[in-house]
Amino acid sequence: SQTIHQWPATLVQPVGSPLSLECTVEGTSNPNLYWYRQAAGRGLQLLFYSVGIGQISSEVPQNLSASRPQDRQFILSSKKLLLSDSGFYLCAWNSGRSTGELFFGEGSRLTVL
Amino acid sequence: GESVGLHLPTLSVQEGDNSIINCAYSNSASDYFIWYKQESGKGPQFIIDIRSNMDKRQGQRVTVLLNKTVKHLSLQIAATQPGDSAVYFCAEKGAGNMLTFGGGTRLMVKP
């Protein structure tokens, strides 16, 4: 069966520090991968998605970047965090052959101080 | 632009009662809809889905209704339990394989 792992689960970072959140998917090949951000008590905002290695699409301009160095690995990064980067970050995947249902990781809660 | 929205941000129900969570969508070309449940501090979990060629689909204690005429989607939870307390999101799939999420409704179940 397919599983998705996301880490770290929680982190507290100072303003101006770098960020790296990692997501890996197991049990499938060539998944579509997504990074979402969720502010407290709010909905899901799509940040990036990728349909293949090295292929990244950005949905909103921001202080973050994404990379996909391997087929089932998706990384969310920042060189210098801002206070506004605080939030709950969710990685998700689906199959290009599926109806579209997304499978989410457990999330990473980032607090920038 | 196209959007999916919810009528009520918070819904409070008594344990054992039925819950109805509503969602309005604006993209008439959307052909697939999903309801997700998100418990505090966790990622959203799939509850039930429905294709645009259907108007009703039932699962275990949950029913999704789709009214394409008025672009309305609802999630009905029968005999609501404390474990149903969560935020519920509707999502629609339009062009490509991209899902658009609504803003979410928080369901609170009172014992």
Side-chain angles (χ1 to χ4, degrees), chain B residues 42-61:
Chain B
K42 297 184 177 181
Q45 297 292 314
F46 171 91
I47 302 174
I48 192 167
D49 59 0
I50 188 168
R51 295 180 184 272
S52 59
N53 61 354
M54 303 171 66
D55 54 19
K56 181 179 180 179
R57 189 161 188 229
Q58 288 184 294
Q60 186 177 11
R61 284 201 306 118

Side-chain angles (χ1 to χ4, degrees), chain A residues 20 45 61:
Chain A
S20 181
Q45 179 187 33

Side-chain angles (χ1 to χ4, degrees), chain A residues 98-100, chain B residues 27 29-33 91-100:
Chain A
S98 74
T99 53
Chain B
N27 184 355
S30 293
D31 59 0
Y32 179 64
F33 303 86
E92 62 172 338
K93 184 176 78 72
N97 216 22
M98 301 299 292
L99 286 180
T100 301

Side-chain angles (χ1 to χ4, degrees), chain A residues 44-59:
Chain A
L44 298 167
Q45 179 187 33
L46 178 62
L47 301 176
F48 301 95
Y49 69 93
S50 170
V51 298
I53 296 175
Q55 301 179 58
I56 309 295
S57 296
S58 175
E59 288 295 297

Side-chain angles (χ1 to χ4, degrees), chain A residues 60-75:
Chain A
V60 294
Q62 59 206 308
N63 184 43
L64 302 168
S65 62
S67 61
R68 184 170 179 175
Q70 300 181 42
D71 180 45
R72 290 170 292 173
Q73 184 184 28
F74 206 24
I75 298 172

Side-chain angles (χ1 to χ4, degrees), chain A:
Chain A
S1 62
Q2 300 90 358
T3 57
I4 178 168
H5 302 284
Q6 189 180 335
W7 70 93
T10 306
L11 68 165
V12 179
Q13 296 284 97
V15 170
S17 65
L19 171 74
S20 181
L21 300 179
E22 190 163 342
C23 172
T24 59
V25 179
E26 298 177 357
T28 188
S29 59
N30 196 31
N32 298 322
L33 296 171
Y34 305 80
W35 278 111
Y36 284 85
R37 176 168 59 200
Q38 187 175 32
R42 303 294 294 275
L44 298 167
Q45 179 187 33
L46 178 62
L47 301 176
F48 301 95
Y49 69 93
S50 170
V51 298
I53 296 175
Q55 301 179 58
I56 309 295
S57 296
S58 175
E59 288 295 297
V60 294
Q62 59 206 308
N63 184 43
L64 302 168
S65 62
S67 61
R68 184 170 179 175
Q70 300 181 42
D71 180 45
R72 290 170 292 173
Q73 184 184 28
F74 206 24
I75 298 172
L76 184 68
S77 304
S78 174
K79 293 182 178 179
K80 291 184 178 181
L81 284 168
L82 306 172
L83 288 174
S84 58
D85 291 324
S86 294
F88 192 53
Y89 290 84
L90 289 156
C91 182
W93 76 273
N94 65 5
S95 166
R97 297 182 301 277
S98 74
T99 53
E101 177 191 351
L102 281 173
F103 301 91
F104 287 87
E106 287 299 298
S108 298
R109 183 163 302 283
L110 169 66
T111 302
V112 183
L113 301 176

